[in-house]
Amino acid sequence: EKRVFGNIGALKDLKDEKPGLILGVFGCMTQQKDVAQKLFRRFPFVNIVFGTNLLSKLPSFVEHAEAGERTLAVEEGNIVIEDELPSARTSTINAFVNINYGCDNYCTYCIVPYVRGRERSRNPASIVAEIERLVQEGYSEITLLGQNVNSYGNDLEGTDFADLLQRVSHVKGLDRIRFMTSHPKDLSDRVIAAMASLPNVCHHVHLPMQSGSNEILRRMNRKYTREQYLTIVKELREAMDDVEITTDIIVGFPGETEQDFAETLDLIEQVGFAAAFTFKYSPRKGTRAADYPDQVPEPVKRERLRVLNDLQERKSRENNEKYLGASGVVHVEDCDTRNEPVCYGKFSNFKMVYFPGGLELIGQYVRVRVKQVRKNSLSGEMEENNL
Ligand code: SF4
């Protein structure tokens, strides 16, 4: 939230330069009425502030802004997110497709269930139809999105996420299917089997671990143990020898002792994540953990985050080293032409790869052999006999 406030403040100069510019702030954060009000008061140059519940009203808010009126609108109560609104896509390489909205899990640190409402799955036929349209527009890679994609279909009859993967995988012209995010408690054997058997489903799972301590996982209300987490990792690797796993980790959750933190480090050591998004716990008003009495002091959190990041950096490098000399297919996302042109894109399992190439390769699938390992990526050269 602090960062959002800072970024909005930084837009003031732009607004002064272009007084006709319409600025709107909306989403989960502004679904919290007090935050929306604070933001509206603090930044008089922002035209529109509204919460997730009123997304479908955006066109009328813009009309009001054009007529010189400011809008602050937050509708509390049942969150309903319209799911068939037109999408604007900024990437021409990978299109994001929502498959479910909201979340029923109530992790004790997370505001999402309160601001995005109960879990709701889109109809599979409408998802497939959207993806077919995307392929016609030229996309060959899509990412299925949800707070917890693995529980897709829990609110529908006779379908689940594995079934959706099957249906989507049959769309002609679709080369890569990704998905985010997977809750470990819902990653079923059926999903693992679908990933392993469907040729266009990418071998990458973003599987937030959050903590390696069973006591902290219980207090977070995550509903799995470190042992169960390790079992899923083993099953994924047995099913797909090239699978990569990335994760999210929180340090300094209320009540986290040195021993709990050591268990987190131990789990990271054991799993060997390709990459991790790491966070210091920060209390969110309205969540259960914000009221826990045993908050961890800021300097302790900061130090644990430093230790954690050092360890993950070493593990990422170790993970990258196994690719030295290996060859794989990169879907080229872009090309940096400021100096000698360097293209970049990902292997199917999400490894980022850089290699010399030209703008004409953007959007292509090319085979690259890895020659060097960097901290967070690989670099190599295109192979002679390409695709
Ligand atoms: Fe849901 Fe993820 Fe938030 Fe937990 S952390 S409540 S699974 S969105």
Side-chain angles (χ1 to χ4, degrees):
E1 278 182 19
K2 275 188 205 146
R3 194 177 306 164
V4 170
F5 273 67
N7 287 346
I8 296 168
L11 289 172
K12 170 90 172 56
D13 289 348
L14 186 65
K15 183 78 179 189
D16 287 343
E17 263 173 48
K18 301 180 180 182
L21 185 73
I22 294 174
L23 288 177
V25 185
F26 50 95
C28 300
M29 200 182 107
T30 46
Q31 180 62 33
Q32 301 164 86
K33 205 170 192 169
D34 55 337
V35 178
Q37 285 168 338
K38 190 163 108 187
L39 200 149
F40 195 72
R41 268 197 313 271
R42 186 170 316 166
F43 302 109
F45 57 89
V46 169
N47 306 81
I48 311 165
V49 178
F50 67 96
T52 33
N53 231 358
L54 293 170
L55 181 57
S56 60
K57 299 270 192 317
L58 176 60
S60 73
F61 295 155
V62 171
E63 277 171 21
H64 289 156
E66 283 170 341
E69 289 169 37
R70 294 183 76 209
T71 302
L72 167 65
V74 179
E75 194 175 286
E76 291 175 310
N78 271 352
I79 308 277
V80 180
I81 298 173
E82 311 277 338
D83 64 2
E84 299 297 342
L85 295 173
S87 303
R89 293 190 160 85
T90 48
S91 166
T92 51
I93 303 300
N94 182 353
F96 291 86
V97 177
N98 286 305
I99 63 166
N100 53 0
Y101 300 96
C103 183
D104 288 350
N105 286 312
Y106 292 95
C107 300
T108 55
Y109 52 83
C110 181
I111 195 80
V112 165
Y114 305 98
V115 292
R116 297 199 68 110
R118 303 302 303 248
E119 198 171 286
R120 194 160 55 89
S121 303
R122 281 181 66 190
N123 178 304
S126 118
I127 295 171
V128 170
E130 180 176 348
I131 294 170
E132 283 170 345
R133 280 197 302 274
L134 287 165
V135 170
Q136 277 165 16
E137 286 169 27
Y139 289 96
S140 62
E141 176 172 332
I142 54 126
T143 301
L144 305 175
L145 279 186
Q147 302 293 343
N148 176 14
V149 289
N150 297 128
S151 59
Y152 172 83
N154 282 0
D155 54 337
L156 302 174
E157 281 289 306
T159 188
D160 63 6
F161 185 55
D163 182 52
L164 182 70
L165 281 177
Q166 287 271 1
R167 294 175 74 148
V168 172
S169 77
H170 291 135
V171 173
K172 275 210 169 57
L174 192 58
D175 294 311
R176 287 189 175 180
I177 302 165
R178 301 189 181 282
F179 54 86
M180 273 199 317
T181 294
S182 290
H183 195 304
K185 78 175 168 54
D186 296 311
L187 185 63
S188 67
D189 293 348
R190 277 172 52 75
V191 171
I192 296 176
M195 285 180 73
S197 64
L198 300 170
N200 48 2
V201 176
C202 293
H203 290 180
H204 166 239
V205 187
H206 186 70
L207 195 65
M209 158 188 131
Q210 307 300 14
S211 171
S213 152
N214 283 340
E215 175 55 15
I216 297 298
L217 289 170
R218 189 189 64 73
R219 290 170 61 102
M220 287 176 163
N221 194 30
R222 291 291 290 172
K223 302 195 183 88
Y224 54 85
T225 62
R226 60 182 276 131
E227 291 76 18
Q228 286 164 333
Y229 191 93
L230 280 169
T231 302
I232 299 166
V233 168
K234 185 164 165 274
E235 287 170 358
L236 282 163
R237 288 182 172 154
E238 278 171 4
M240 295 162 278
D241 55 10
D242 62 340
V243 71
E244 286 293 6
I245 303 167
T246 51
T247 199
D248 297 334
I249 303 164
I250 298 171
V251 292
F253 188 77
E256 186 188 70
T257 62
E258 282 301 325
Q259 177 57 33
D260 293 318
F261 179 57
E263 287 173 19
T264 295
L265 297 179
D266 178 67
L267 201 55
I268 294 171
E269 194 67 70
Q270 285 194 49
V271 175
F273 295 105
F277 295 96
T278 56
F279 306 90
K280 273 186 304 176
Y281 169 76
S282 73
R284 305 304 307 269
K285 212 170 124 214
T287 60
R288 268 168 54 205
D291 295 330
Y292 286 173
D294 40 7
Q295 301 287 326
V296 174
E298 190 60 28
V300 176
K301 289 196 246 184
R302 211 178 305 129
E303 176 57 13
R304 287 183 188 167
L305 186 64
R306 188 193 64 73
V307 173
L308 177 77
N309 286 342
D310 284 353
L311 172 61
Q312 182 52 44
E313 199 173 297
R314 172 166 67 76
K315 297 303 285 184
S316 296
R317 184 169 269 280
E318 278 173 24
N319 182 288
N320 282 348
E321 272 161 11
K322 69 181 186 231
Y323 288 88
L324 265 179
S327 132
V329 176
V330 173
H331 189 191
V332 184
E333 291 171 20
D334 209 343
C335 193
D336 181 353
T337 54
R338 282 172 300 178
N339 299 304
E340 279 297 295
V342 175
C343 292
Y344 56 89
K346 296 187 187 79
F347 283 160
S348 156
N349 66 5
F350 212 62
K351 276 282 156 193
M352 180 62 97
V353 188
Y354 291 78
F355 62 97
L359 289 169
E360 72 285 358
L361 294 175
I362 296 174
Q364 305 287 313
Y365 290 86
V366 297
R367 187 164 276 284
V368 175
R369 189 165 294 277
V370 177
K371 304 272 181 181
Q372 272 184 331
V373 168
R374 302 170 175 199
K375 199 163 79 180
N376 294 315
S377 61
L378 310 170
S379 66
E381 282 170 16
M382 259 170 74
E383 297 217 278
E384 289 279 309
N385 287 330
N386 231 297
L387 299 176

